[in-house]
């Protein structure tokens, strides 16, 4: 019997995993952590605004699929990517193929990935580390805002759907993946890899946290998720490379904004104002 019989099963696993991660990270009652989140939403206008903005950008990910169908853009860059990369993904999948690894990789791809996002928001809120909470919101927004135009105008199909020697291994664990999970991500929404970029962003931000467990677990999970996108036959190497760059840039920008630091352009503009006036400047 496959562990994921439907998206409902996956959702149950996500809830359980979030609770376990919060207990491991805080040694506190996870329901108290959830209570602190609810309290912040209803007591802090700034917190609620950021959370609603995050929900809005996540909603636009679903809107993108509808827009993609409406514009009916015919371009397909999959063949070009394949001509550059060849059998890279196929070689990884065939070399590492093991049933247990397929289960573990699928669990990280379907469950751990969203669980880290949810648990990060809850953890930083509970620890009152609001700068990292705001950084999470900004980073996710940047990731989606950059990725969505690529999905619309630079469509690349997933590896398994094009490469003759690559199989979508996640179907061995989640037989209804194409019916249940596909509405969340189009088949040609491949470049850049959001599983990579968001995982990397979460890792970069987690390193800034005060939680030792989180500093280790999130970067480690990000590394395994990146391996999983190849092993499961979903993403190309170029998807991953673009995702890493996007994830790092999004996280660094998000941290700068959350910490209130000026960007380089603003510093350059303000620099002349700090110089004392000379006689010939009058």
């Amino acid at each position: 019997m496959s562990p994921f019989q439907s998206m409902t099963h996956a959702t149950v696993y996500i809830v359980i995993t979030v609770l376990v991660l919060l207990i491991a990270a805080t040694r506190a009652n996870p329901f108290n952590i959830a209570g602190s989140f609810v309290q912040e939403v209803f007591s802090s206008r700034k917190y609620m605004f950021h959370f609603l903005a995050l929900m809005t950008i996540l909603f636009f990910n679903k809107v993108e699929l509808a827009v993609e169908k409406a514009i009916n853009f015919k371009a397909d860059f999959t063949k070009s990517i394949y001509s550059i990369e060849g059998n890279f993904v196929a070689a990884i999948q065939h070399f590492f193929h093991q049933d247990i690894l397929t289960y573990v990789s699928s669990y990280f791809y379907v469950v751990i990935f969203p669980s880290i996002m949810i648990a990060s928001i809850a953890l930083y809120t509970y620890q009152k580390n609001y700068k990292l909470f705001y950084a999470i919101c900004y980073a996710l927004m940047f990731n989606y805002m950059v990725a969505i135009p690529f999905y619309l105008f630079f469509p690349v199909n997933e590896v398994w759907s094009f490469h003759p020697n690559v199989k979508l291994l996640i179907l061995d664990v989640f037989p209804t993946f194409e019916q249940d999970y596909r509405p969340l991500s189009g088949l040609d929404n491949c470049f850049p890899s959001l599983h990579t970029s968001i995982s990397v962003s979460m890792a970069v931000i987690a390193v800034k946290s005060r939680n030792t467990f989180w500093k280790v677990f999130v970067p480690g999970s990000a590394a395994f998720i990146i391996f999983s996108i190849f092993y499961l036959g979903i993403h190309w190497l170029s998807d991953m490379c673009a995702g890493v760059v996007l994830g790092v840039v999004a996280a660094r920008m998000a941290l700068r904004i959350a910490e209130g630091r000026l960007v380089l352009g603003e510093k350059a503009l303000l620099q002349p104002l700090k110089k004392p006036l000379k006689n010939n400047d009058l």
Side-chain angles (χ1 to χ4, degrees), residues 7-63:
M7 202 61 202
T8 301
H9 283 85
T11 302
V12 171
Y13 283 122
I14 291 171
V15 171
I16 295 173
T17 301
V18 169
L19 295 177
V20 171
L21 290 178
L22 290 175
I23 292 172
T26 65
R27 301 295 191 272
N29 187 330
F31 296 103
N32 290 339
I33 300 174
S36 67
F37 166 76
V38 174
Q39 181 180 2
E40 287 293 337
V41 169
F42 288 101
S43 63
S44 172
R45 186 174 299 178
K46 182 179 180 180
Y47 187 100
M48 180 177 66
F49 174 79
H50 280 80
F51 183 72
L52 291 177
L54 176 58
M55 292 298 101
T56 300
I57 198 68
L58 293 178
F59 171 74
F60 270 102
N61 184 50
K62 295 194 68 174
V63 173

Side-chain angles (χ1 to χ4, degrees), residues 76-90 92 147 150-151 154-159 162 188-197 200 226 229-230 234-247:
D76 184 355
F77 295 91
T78 313
K79 187 174 181 180
S80 299
I81 298 296
Y82 173 69
S83 66
I84 296 172
E85 298 188 17
N87 295 319
F88 175 81
V89 175
I92 290 180
F150 279 97
Y151 294 164
F154 191 78
V156 177
N157 288 328
E158 294 178 0
V159 183
F162 185 87
D188 59 358
N189 289 179
C190 216
F191 182 95
S193 165
L194 274 178
H195 263 72
T196 297
S197 66
V200 169
I226 291 174
I229 67 173
F230 297 137
I234 298 173
H235 281 286
W236 303 88
L237 176 62
S238 54
D239 303 336
M240 183 275 288
C241 293
V244 169
V245 173
L246 173 56

Side-chain angles (χ1 to χ4, degrees), residues 103-141:
Y103 277 78
V104 176
S105 297
S106 299
Y107 189 83
F108 269 77
Y109 188 89
V110 176
V111 176
I112 295 294
F113 174 70
S115 296
I116 287 177
M117 287 189 283
I118 298 169
S120 292
I121 291 173
L123 176 64
Y124 301 147
T125 301
Y126 177 71
Q127 295 181 334
K128 299 189 181 303
N129 198 338
Y130 299 118
K131 289 182 180 179
L132 293 191
F133 164 74
Y134 297 139
I136 289 286
C137 295
Y138 298 141
L140 288 173
M141 291 178 197

Side-chain angles (χ1 to χ4, degrees), residues 201-219:
S201 288
M202 295 299 104
V204 172
I205 294 172
V207 170
K208 298 287 185 178
S209 73
R210 300 186 296 265
N211 192 287
T212 303
F213 171 79
W214 212 239
K215 286 182 178 181
V216 175
F217 178 79
V218 178

